[in-house]
Amino acid sequence: MTRPFPAVALFLFAVLAACRAGHSAPDSGWQLTPESEALVPDATLRAQIFRALTAAEKAGTDPSISHFKVRAATIIEKDGQDHVVVGGNTEYSVPEAIHGEASLINHVTALYGRDTTRQALHFIAFFSERCGPSGSCGDCRDFQKASTDYGRLLIVCGQSSDHTVRVTRFTDQLVAEDQFPAASPASLSISPAELLQLLTAAEQARLGGVTLFSASEQTAAAAISYTGKIYRAAGADDAAFHYRYPVGGVLQQAATERDYFLKAILVVGEKGHWPEVRYRDRQYGYESSSFNRSSGKPPITLILSDGQGSYRATTFEAALPKAFSTANFMPQAVEDFLRTHAQP
Ligand SMILES: [Zn+2]
């Protein structure tokens, strides 16, 4: 009676092991970090994430400038079947890029349509040599917000070196404008006179720009630099949908004058409404604020005006959590650039 038991137990163990392997194979080896387990309690979703990570490893990329591969994948459940969809980054020219997550979302839409992207894209899994703290660039945040059910979207990073898997919520990368702290003219880092200069410049700028597709959303920005110079710009759209953002506009003008260190940027929209500052524009502001950080200056103050005397104020660092800039990858290059290019 004692002999069959180990045999049965061994058989059961073998069956259980096969079932477990069946759940994760051929993706065995991926392991959620303890903090991530709580975000993915569902075994089916875990298995889908591991399967997507294994698929992401093989996603094609063409990062000819940065040589930094962004390989992404997801699983779309449709008609009772799981479908793997991958995306990869491509870089070209000046530099421009199609980013990995944008490639993935567009691929899902191309295969299964807009509604499926909204309803069935539950996670984006990145296969990475090293999982760092950074989220998507600002533009990809805008795209994910617009095209997915982003309140539920999970962001996954699978680290190739040890196969640990970190899961976070996409919403960790967002800060709505109504969460920017309220401010008074006296509480700001610029004087009331400078604030008035910025407000006047931004409101005048908003009368311009190009708004063939974006009239109701038009915003404008004005910036003041440490030299005391004011720059202003309004949003401009075009037929190719390569929108030019107002914060990006003022930063480019200031950079053209080798005036790289800005104190504050004020944004206005329609009178009586808080302006929206798109994440792409926050990315431009964050990059520029990293110039301040690299030279020991305070971050740029980002001020919103409702056009009726109320203000909100924050920083691009706070408005774009988990951001990255050139200063992260090439701090010495940024320092050298500023030393050789900034106005004396
Ligand atoms: Zn991006």
Side-chain angles (χ1 to χ4, degrees):
M1 288 298 289
T2 53
R3 295 187 66 150
F5 179 70
V8 169
L10 195 64
F11 172 73
L12 276 175
F13 176 78
V15 168
L16 284 170
C19 287
R20 286 170 60 87
H23 253 290
S24 55
D27 318 308
S28 53
W30 293 113
Q31 184 81 44
L32 288 163
T33 61
E35 317 84 71
S36 304
E37 285 182 348
L39 279 175
V40 193
D42 179 60
T44 305
L45 180 57
R46 285 186 189 189
Q48 288 175 334
I49 283 173
F50 299 158
R51 189 178 168 203
L53 284 170
T54 300
E57 183 176 3
K58 297 180 184 68
T61 60
D62 182 14
S64 53
I65 304 166
S66 73
H67 306 292
F68 185 77
K69 294 177 181 181
V70 181
R71 291 169 283 188
T74 193
I75 301 283
I76 298 294
E77 269 183 70
K78 190 143 174 81
D79 305 325
Q81 297 268 319
D82 281 1
H83 304 274
V84 177
V85 184
V86 300
N89 61 328
T90 301
E91 296 171 352
Y92 56 102
S93 191
V94 280
E96 287 272 353
I98 307 296
H99 292 188
E101 52 272 61
S103 160
L104 170 68
I105 294 169
N106 185 254
H107 201 175
V108 172
T109 304
L111 288 167
Y112 304 111
R114 169 188 184 272
D115 292 344
T116 299
T117 306
R118 278 205 183 11
Q119 291 153 18
L121 178 56
H122 299 310
F123 69 90
I124 297 177
F126 296 93
F127 177 89
S128 183
E129 281 168 31
R130 197 165 43 83
C131 292
S134 303
S136 293
C137 78
D139 190 44
C140 286
R141 296 185 202 202
D142 286 328
F143 187 39
Q144 287 165 95
K145 243 186 104 190
S147 56
T148 70
D149 182 7
Y150 68 88
R152 297 172 49 196
L153 184 65
L154 296 176
I155 303 301
V156 176
C157 184
Q159 189 160 271
S160 64
S161 56
D162 59 3
H163 275 217
T164 53
V165 179
R166 287 138 221 254
V167 183
T168 54
R169 294 183 196 281
F170 171 66
T171 49
D172 295 346
Q173 300 179 33
L174 304 180
V175 182
E177 287 79 356
D178 62 11
Q179 290 170 28
F180 294 179
S184 68
S187 72
L188 292 169
S189 59
I190 54 173
S191 70
E194 289 173 325
L195 178 65
L196 186 61
Q197 273 183 293
L198 286 184
L199 184 63
T200 307
E203 285 180 339
Q204 284 174 353
R206 193 177 173 274
L207 302 174
V210 181
T211 55
L212 293 165
F213 300 96
S214 58
S216 63
E217 300 167 284
Q218 176 67 327
T219 59
I224 184 163
S225 74
Y226 277 90
T227 65
K229 204 162 169 196
I230 303 268
Y231 301 91
R232 64 183 188 177
D237 60 36
D238 60 33
F241 290 2
H242 289 152
Y243 189 76
R244 276 142 298 151
Y245 290 81
V247 171
V250 293
L251 293 171
Q252 190 167 345
Q253 289 172 33
T256 305
E257 305 305 323
R258 299 164 55 202
D259 201 1
Y260 292 105
F261 305 111
L262 300 178
K263 263 171 39 180
I265 298 178
L266 179 141
V267 183
V268 296
E270 196 181 334
K271 205 174 190 64
H273 294 85
W274 292 105
E276 196 171 332
V277 184
R278 305 294 169 142
Y279 287 84
R280 181 170 185 143
D281 229 5
R282 300 183 196 193
Q283 177 81 39
Y284 295 133
Y286 182 86
E287 293 262 1
S288 181
S289 196
S290 75
F291 294 166
N292 287 27
R293 293 199 302 280
S294 125
S295 69
K297 293 181 171 58
I300 300 171
T301 305
L302 169 62
I303 305 166
L304 305 194
S305 160
D306 71 347
Q308 294 183 321
S310 294
Y311 298 94
R312 294 183 183 278
T314 185
T315 60
F316 290 101
E317 286 77 2
L320 193 70
K322 301 181 166 210
F324 62 86
S325 74
T326 325
N328 295 117
F329 309 118
M330 305 159 57
Q332 193 58 50
V334 170
E335 263 180 52
D336 293 347
F337 175 84
L338 292 170
R339 195 179 57 252
T340 52
H341 287 73
Q343 281 185 32

